Amino acid sequence: MTDERGATLVDTGIGPAGGAAAEWLGTAGRLPSLLEQAGVSATEIDTVILTHVHLDHTGWNTDGVAPRFPQATYVVQQAEFDHVTAGPNPTYERQLRPIVETGRLRIVDGKTRLGKGIEVVPAPGHTPGHQVVVTPRAVLGGDVLVHPAQAQWPELLYVYEREPEVAIASRREVLELAKALGVPIAAAHPHTPLDVTSYGVKGRGTAGTGRGLCPSQRI
Ligand SMILES: [Zn+2]
């Protein structure tokens, strides 16, 4: 998201070829070339919001030593920070510790307005401190849902949800929030933003075909 004062980035993706997430997923990230296409330089980014600290969302945070976005403040929830520092965590070591050591990490606790019409809202379950980002045009949902089917059937679980019941509750809340705001959910894994304005109108998971929310696609 850009305005005349700077740019905010939400999550930093898979990271370069040879990195942990690229090895896991079998594909390298494209963030630098996508930013170049968008005409945004690394030094213009003043805020990096991390929905959560998983390796496929933090892959370009640092080069392993220093922040890749040297002017940016990186934002995480307190519960997420506590979770990733509770024990050995290679993603923390490589992608967050350098941010901490350069004084560029901002830890927030709960719903927080960041300015420029952007607000972070906790949506735990996938991880303890997972958060979504509410903007005037979309809710950037991170991994609150990972497949369009979960917009129609929020009770569908994803294998990596740490606390399934909490994740389901968060998914319902974020679906209701996006519907109330009249904006789509742009989550990290589905390829296109999800229009959820009809969410819940006919009952959850019992009526309607779901086709509008659930086009066939790979994730
Ligand atoms: Zn994740």
Side-chain angles (χ1 to χ4, degrees), residues 52 54 56-57 126-127 130 143 158 189:
H52 63 299
H54 271 170
D56 56 328
H57 295 255
H126 178 64
T127 61
H130 184 281
D143 283 359
Y158 166 49
H189 295 284

Side-chain angles (χ1 to χ4, degrees), residues 105-117:
L105 187 69
R106 178 180 174 191
I107 298 174
V108 297
D109 197 2
K111 191 190 272 200
T112 305
R113 281 189 193 283
L114 299 180
K116 298 192 274 188

Side-chain angles (χ1 to χ4, degrees), residues 143-162:
D143 283 359
V144 74
L145 49 78
V146 297
H147 190 280
Q150 291 174 303
Q152 184 75 3
W153 299 285
E155 63 278 12
L156 282 176
L157 292 173
Y158 166 49
V159 67
Y160 292 123
E161 285 174 338
R162 275 189 96 78

Side-chain angles (χ1 to χ4, degrees), residues 68-89:
R68 283 187 194 268
F69 305 101
Q71 309 298 327
T73 298
Y74 291 64
V75 181
V76 295
Q77 285 286 331
Q78 181 77 56
E80 191 73 357
F81 186 79
D82 293 346
H83 170 60
V84 297
T85 54
N89 185 314

Side-chain angles (χ1 to χ4, degrees), residues 177-189:
L177 175 66
K179 181 186 170 190
L181 295 172
V183 297
I185 297 175
H189 295 284

